Amino acid sequence: MNDEKTQKFNKTAGIICIVMACIFAVSFIVGTFNDHKIAPRIFSDMNLGMLIVSTLGIYIFCAFYAFFFGALFSQAVNLPKEHKRRTLYIVLILVLGSITLLICGGSVLDINNLGGIFPFIQRNVPQMIIMLIVGLLPVSYIGYRSCKNRTDANLAKHLILVLSAMTISFFLYELVKMGLPRPRYRLLAKGHEGIEFRRWYNPVKNKAELIAKYGINKDDFKSFPSGHTSNSIMNITLFPALGLVYPKLKERASLLFVMGLCVGISVLISRMVLGAHFLSDVSCGGFIASVVSAVYYRLYKKIS
């Protein structure tokens, strides 16, 4: 795909992201007033198929982190040895990458993912390190090898842009989660006294008391917004971004965009079926990712 076609794709993708943000905004409003009616109709407790979809969704996001960090690390290593900041860049990428991927490993092991499929998985530090070594570092190595013989300042800038978009999306939904604790529908379905349905703008005020009283996992009060959905909808950016590392894939940018969207929608549905999120939760997560993706495609043009 030549530069003109790439810019045309990015412009179209950016417009689609804005349209998606508008759709998510409308579904957010619908969900705000109808969450309590929709959730019980689609809830399927411990649905193994949906758990697998949910787990794959978060792993794909984490694997992209690993892949692009590996590719970026290669760009730092490829700098001339006399480059004044070469060592700084290498150390910085190693530190940030290790911390990020360790957190990612913990996310894959979470009760909403592998921990929900295999009860013996507890998301402790040793298991997180194992997941990092077995599940993510090999992907980082693939990213590193793919760019090992390329030194391109423009590529490095684009890789930083991709990783920044992923990180910003992550921090945005995590920030909202901290301020608006909301019980998941699967918790409501257990019928604990004092735990009732709440709209997203009416957060739980006695969360600590309820956790202590019923022995509830604190994760069950992190319904709003949906991090899984936000991460997975980001695939509309991440799948096409593979063309940065594998130029031949630029010809398949539109297909990769659609693939990323399909993964995102599948995960979105799985989260509601599992009772992990309400419609307003996944809509908010999708809105965040769509807006971040629209900004990404806009900045891509400026960097290019």
Side-chain angles (χ1 to χ4, degrees), residues 21-141:
C22 293
I23 293 173
F24 279 124
V26 172
S27 64
F28 174 74
I29 295 173
V30 172
T32 296
F33 298 102
N34 294 279
D35 279 339
H36 61 296
K37 298 178 182 178
I38 298 173
R41 294 181 180 178
I42 60 177
F43 176 55
S44 177
D45 191 23
M46 296 303 292
N47 185 306
L48 181 58
M50 293 294 99
L51 271 172
I52 292 174
V53 170
S54 181
T55 301
L56 286 175
I58 201 67
Y59 177 75
I60 289 173
F61 181 80
C62 294
F64 270 121
Y65 248 132
F67 180 82
F68 290 125
F69 260 118
L72 184 60
F73 180 69
S74 75
Q75 296 304 288
V77 172
N78 289 345
L79 289 172
K81 292 184 179 180
E82 60 272 16
H83 193 288
K84 294 181 180 180
R85 297 183 180 179
R86 179 175 181 270
T87 301
L88 174 62
Y89 290 154
I90 290 175
V91 172
L92 188 61
I93 294 171
L94 276 176
V95 172
L96 291 177
S98 298
I99 294 173
T100 301
L101 296 186
L102 188 62
I103 294 173
C104 284
S107 297
V108 176
L109 299 175
D110 189 80
I111 190 172
N112 291 289
N113 303 303
L114 281 180
I117 300 174
F118 305 106
F120 64 87
I121 295 178
Q122 300 297 320
R123 194 182 179 177
N124 50 42
V125 174
Q127 291 182 356
M128 289 169 65
I129 293 175
I130 292 173
M131 174 54 67
L132 170 65
I133 295 173
V134 176
L136 297 176
L137 286 186
V139 182
S140 284
Y141 183 70

Side-chain angles (χ1 to χ4, degrees), residues 137-156:
L137 286 186
V139 182
S140 284
Y141 183 70
I142 293 173
Y144 171 78
R145 291 287 298 181
S146 298
C147 297
K148 185 179 180 182
N149 298 319
R150 294 170 57 191
T151 303
D152 185 344
N154 199 45
L155 170 61

Side-chain angles (χ1 to χ4, degrees), residues 2 9 12 18 20 38 80 83 143 169 173-174 180 216 222 230-233 245 250 256 262 271 280 299:
N2 57 38
F9 165 76
T12 302
I18 294 173
M20 287 175 57
I38 298 173
H83 193 288
S169 175
Y173 74 71
E174 282 292 338
L180 295 171
I216 299 170
K222 293 183 177 181
S230 185
N231 291 340
S232 296
I233 293 296
V245 178
K250 288 185 178 181
L256 291 171
C262 289
R271 301 306 288 160
S280 59
L299 293 178

